[in-house]
Amino acid sequence: MNKPLDKPLFPPYLALFFGVLAISTSAIFVKLSDAPSPIIATYRLVFSVVLTLPLLFWNRGAIAEIVRMPRKQWLLCALSGAFLASHFLLWFESLNYTSVASSTVLVTLQPLFAFIGGYFFFGEKLRPLALTGGLLAIAGSFVIGWGDFRVGGMALWGDILALAGAATVTGYWLIAQYIRQYLSSFSYTLVVYSITSVILVAYDLAFGYSLTGYSAANWGWFFCLALFPTLLGHSILNWIIKWLNTTTISMGILGEPIGTAILAYFILGEVVTMPQYVGGLIILAGIYLFIRNNQTSKGVESGEPTSPPKKLA
């Protein structure tokens, strides 16, 4: 049974902006750490769960909600956790073979998958101008990373991993769009992050990655990954997906390369090129055009949720 929806206490589009700003730090922290990619992903989620658990003392209702979750919701949360774990493993590993700009651009191509998933699972149809804005923003992403793309060697492998990461994270958002109509943001986030942590730890043990012995700096980067791009990024997006759909959130995330490129300039010393300036402006124009003409997230104005898909309801 669907719960009555309370209107959002904070403007969803403004929350989307801050969420995307927070996740823009992710690639930077990954680059700064010299730990193996699976370990970085593991402790990002483990620390996120550790930081979230104390909040149960102020949200006792979440415990009862989690205990009462039906089997279907548990299965969907498990699948969502598997998608999220795969996304982190694929994307973090891609950064070992290609640059921050190239990897981030490809992993943020998730709107392409979101357009398809939104249509087949939720019956969402975009206005022509909204679709044009989406494609324009995607084109801007390619402009940003154009000079960094490679057509062979290990860089190509990194690009393939990043693109696979885009597909898996879209699966994560599509499940969230459905289940958040029935489950609170806190409960959903805690359950999925916990499941993702278990999957990642199991992966580490299965492939012989050590869970200990890392430098103090690495532990600091793990903590930063948990706090900023996860709890202040992904968790915010998990909250607003009750009002904004997967396609809209995926479009917003296209702004991530802009924030990442700026941070990479100041922190990693990577040069911000003219294509990155131009691509950033194209992305912003595309996102604006999309949001201006998008009908699939009209629940924001009315305070009503996006509709659950008929195929899963």
Side-chain angles (χ1 to χ4, degrees):
M1 181 178 296
N2 204 352
K3 296 180 180 180
L5 177 77
D6 51 330
K7 290 188 177 181
L9 298 177
F10 196 77
Y13 282 117
L14 187 57
L16 177 63
F17 170 79
F18 285 113
V20 171
L21 186 64
I23 65 175
S24 297
T25 64
S26 183
I28 304 300
F29 293 135
V30 173
K31 274 287 189 180
L32 289 172
S33 174
D34 58 10
S37 299
I39 294 298
I40 298 174
T42 298
Y43 282 112
R44 171 176 179 168
L45 270 296
V46 168
F47 281 9
S48 295
V49 173
V50 170
L51 292 171
T52 302
L53 282 174
L55 299 179
L56 284 173
F57 290 102
W58 288 274
N59 193 355
R60 299 294 181 86
I63 299 177
E65 185 180 29
I66 292 172
V67 170
R68 292 196 305 265
M69 280 174 55
R71 181 183 178 185
K72 179 180 178 180
Q73 291 183 9
W74 277 107
L75 290 174
L76 286 173
C77 283
L79 181 59
S80 181
F83 276 134
L84 187 59
S86 299
H87 164 68
F88 285 134
L89 289 170
L90 290 165
W91 180 44
F92 287 3
E93 189 64 23
S94 75
L95 292 169
N96 291 325
Y97 299 100
T98 190
S99 73
V100 168
S102 184
S103 177
T104 303
V105 166
L106 286 168
V107 85
T108 51
L109 289 183
Q110 52 189 279
L112 291 176
F113 301 100
F115 292 159
I116 298 171
Y119 175 79
F120 281 104
F121 291 107
F122 294 90
E124 297 170 353
K125 297 180 181 179
L126 297 174
R127 284 180 173 180
L129 281 177
L131 181 59
T132 300
L135 296 176
L136 182 64
I138 291 171
S141 293
F142 275 98
V143 171
I144 284 181
W146 180 255
D148 188 54
F149 290 148
R150 300 292 183 270
V151 294
M154 299 311 294
L156 177 60
W157 175 241
D159 293 343
I160 293 172
L161 291 174
L163 190 60
T168 52
V169 78
T170 303
Y172 165 75
W173 290 122
L174 287 169
I175 293 174
Q177 180 176 338
Y178 170 74
I179 204 169
R180 276 284 289 116
Q181 308 308 317
Y182 305 93
L183 198 63
S184 71
S185 175
F186 182 86
S187 298
Y188 172 73
T189 297
L190 180 58
V191 170
V192 171
Y193 286 1
S194 299
I195 292 173
T196 305
S197 298
V198 171
I199 293 173
L200 291 172
V201 169
Y203 180 93
D204 296 336
L205 296 177
F207 288 90
Y209 290 99
S210 175
L211 295 174
T212 59
Y214 300 101
S215 66
N218 275 308
W219 292 109
W221 301 133
F222 299 159
F223 178 83
C224 288
L225 278 164
L227 180 60
F228 295 103
T230 309
L231 294 181
L232 298 179
H234 276 268
S235 296
I236 287 178
L237 301 184
N238 281 337
W239 173 70
I240 63 173
I241 203 167
K242 190 166 189 174
W243 295 275
L244 304 182
N245 57 24
T246 298
T247 302
T248 303
I249 286 179
S250 296
M251 281 299 306
I253 292 175
L254 280 176
E256 182 182 355
I258 301 174
T260 299
I262 295 172
L263 291 172
Y265 171 79
F266 286 106
I267 299 174
L268 301 179
E270 294 189 3
V271 177
V272 179
T273 64
M274 182 57 67
Q276 289 175 321
Y277 283 116
V278 174
L281 291 175
I282 294 174
I283 288 174
L284 292 176
I287 292 175
Y288 173 80
L289 186 62
F290 175 86
I291 292 176
R292 180 83 174 177
N293 296 278
N294 182 27
Q295 286 183 311
T296 59
S297 56
K298 63 183 179 180
V300 174
E301 285 77 23
S302 63
E304 296 182 356
T306 56
S307 301
K310 295 181 180 178
K311 294 184 180 181
L312 292 177

